Amino acid sequence: EKGYETGEHAPGLKLGGCGAYKAAHHIIKTHAKVWHSYNSTWRREQRGMVGISLTSGWGEPVDPHSQTDRDAAERYIQFHLGWFANPIYRGDYPEVMKNYVGKKSAQQGLGRSRLPTFSVQEKTYIKGTSDFLGIGHFTTRYVLQKNFPFLQVSSYHTDHDLAELVDPSWPAPGPKWLYSVPWGFRRLLNFIKTQYGNPLIYVTENGVSETVQCSQLCDEWRIQYLKGYINEILKALNDGVNVKGYTAWSLLDKFEWDKGFSERFGLYHVDFKDKNKPRYPKASVEYYKKIISANGFPNPREVMS
């Protein structure tokens, strides 16, 4: 979406209303081809697994008693996670995506939907092409219905007719988009369990960044973020969600999309101004080491004071 719709990221194309859908369509078909290639050529010998990693926030209805807000929150998830996961696990794009993009396309006088379609053969070929689901998750939004006039320039963002809100009480230690809302992760994981037949899940990205340029290593807010989110994963495990592994994002401060080196997700601070790029452990390193050693939260009696 940022590469082919808004042009914020490489390759910087601004193909409003259709670029992101076309790019995603090719990604999904290419993913399926790779899975089949591995399945037929290498699986018997290597006994490996091929999956896909999808990043999604969680959308919570502003008013859980409002059907329109609940529907808007459902669209939020389907237009993010379902866009890719639905074809792979259920054989086609989510119905709500097809309906909304198709309706908006018709209102614009287009002969066909801006959302591409899969042939019957492609649907069969794509469905089931994931031995596990990788999930990247960082934050949550409250969601409510918002109608966009159809005369407006079409875009992925206006297609789903919703608005996103945040609770000002949510901690936001890093960039404006990343609020710490641990409970959203458990709900997202349970949604995956219900929607896609409880697939094997690896959490491939979960973490928080700081934007301030400072060398202080006391990242207590990162410790609280990791503690809260990992705790919700453990609750999801008790719910029966099939989470197999967890990866904190990220080991080191690094080059972060169009933010360059200014946004730091690392457990280790990197001094980019020094040509040797020395690395210094933040406080979260010691905390995360204990979690790794215990494969969960350590027994309080075992935690060093």
Side-chain angles (χ1 to χ4, degrees):
E1 182 260 332
K2 285 185 168 64
Y4 293 87
E5 179 93 21
T6 64
E8 293 171 61
H9 292 173
L13 300 179
K14 298 180 180 179
L15 306 173
C18 63
Y21 296 134
K22 286 182 179 178
H25 201 67
H26 291 305
I27 288 170
I28 293 163
K29 291 203 290 184
T30 306
H31 161 80
K33 188 163 187 176
V34 171
W35 186 91
H36 281 286
S37 174
Y38 186 86
N39 193 52
S40 60
T41 310
W42 299 107
R43 188 186 299 275
R44 186 176 299 170
E45 179 185 336
Q46 296 182 348
R47 298 183 182 179
M49 295 196 300
V50 178
I52 193 166
S53 183
L54 305 175
T55 300
S56 179
W58 173 251
E60 183 74 10
V62 168
D63 179 0
H65 303 294
S66 162
Q67 187 62 49
T68 55
D69 284 1
R70 290 205 304 270
D71 290 345
E74 172 78 13
R75 288 198 303 279
Y76 177 92
I77 298 297
Q78 296 294 359
F79 268 80
H80 287 84
L81 180 67
W83 185 6
F84 295 87
N86 222 73
I88 290 168
Y89 284 95
R90 303 180 74 169
D92 199 3
Y93 290 122
E95 285 300 315
V96 71
M97 270 192 90
K98 294 193 289 184
N99 291 341
Y100 267 70
V101 182
K103 179 180 68 179
K104 300 259 182 180
S105 302
Q107 288 171 342
Q108 292 172 291
L110 301 176
R112 61 180 180 183
S113 176
R114 288 179 280 104
L115 182 69
T117 56
F118 295 113
S119 68
V120 173
Q121 291 85 354
E122 285 172 339
K123 290 177 185 178
T124 304
Y125 188 74
I126 292 164
K127 186 178 180 181
T129 57
S130 203
D131 304 318
F132 65 88
L133 178 59
I135 284 292
H137 175 74
F138 295 92
T139 193
T140 284
R141 292 289 184 269
Y142 280 121
V143 180
L144 74 164
Q145 168 84 21
K146 180 181 179 180
N147 293 324
F148 290 91
F150 70 83
L151 292 174
Q152 195 169 328
V153 176
S154 65
S155 80
Y156 164 77
H157 278 291
T158 57
D159 279 342
H160 27 39
D161 277 352
L162 57 85
E164 301 173 27
L165 303 173
V166 298
D167 185 332
S169 69
W170 290 344
K176 291 178 181 177
W177 65 271
L178 211 174
Y179 292 80
S180 180
V181 195
W183 52 261
F185 203 3
R186 182 184 183 184
R187 297 186 187 194
L188 177 66
L189 291 169
N190 272 282
F191 174 88
I192 292 166
K193 173 192 170 187
T194 304
Q195 197 86 358
Y196 308 124
N198 203 15
L200 177 64
I201 295 173
Y202 286 92
V203 177
T204 45
E205 288 187 40
N206 175 241
V208 65
S209 62
E210 69 256 36
T211 50
V212 286
Q213 185 71 16
C214 70
S215 56
Q216 72 155 354
L217 304 174
C218 302
D219 57 345
E220 175 62 29
W221 39 268
R222 180 174 281 111
I223 291 171
Q224 292 307 315
Y225 180 98
L226 292 170
K227 181 179 182 180
Y229 276 75
I230 292 170
N231 192 36
E232 292 299 319
I233 296 169
L234 293 173
K235 290 178 186 176
L237 274 169
N238 287 335
D239 297 335
V241 181
N242 193 10
V243 182
K244 183 73 171 176
Y246 172 85
T247 313
W249 188 260
S250 62
L251 178 67
L252 305 169
D253 291 337
K254 57 178 179 14
F255 192 87
E256 185 64 31
W257 298 97
D258 55 337
K259 300 294 188 294
F261 297 114
S262 66
E263 194 169 321
R264 295 168 175 265
F265 275 90
L267 297 170
Y268 283 82
H269 175 84
V270 179
D271 183 356
F272 294 112
K273 293 178 180 177
D274 186 317
K275 65 177 174 48
N276 294 318
K277 308 291 188 292
R279 303 158 182 183
Y280 306 97
K282 301 174 188 177
S284 52
V285 167
E286 284 305 313
Y287 180 75
Y288 194 49
K289 274 183 182 177
K290 291 172 184 174
I291 289 177
I292 290 170
S293 299
N295 194 29
F297 292 113
N299 185 313
R301 288 173 295 183
E302 297 170 355
V303 178
M304 293 167 59
S305 58

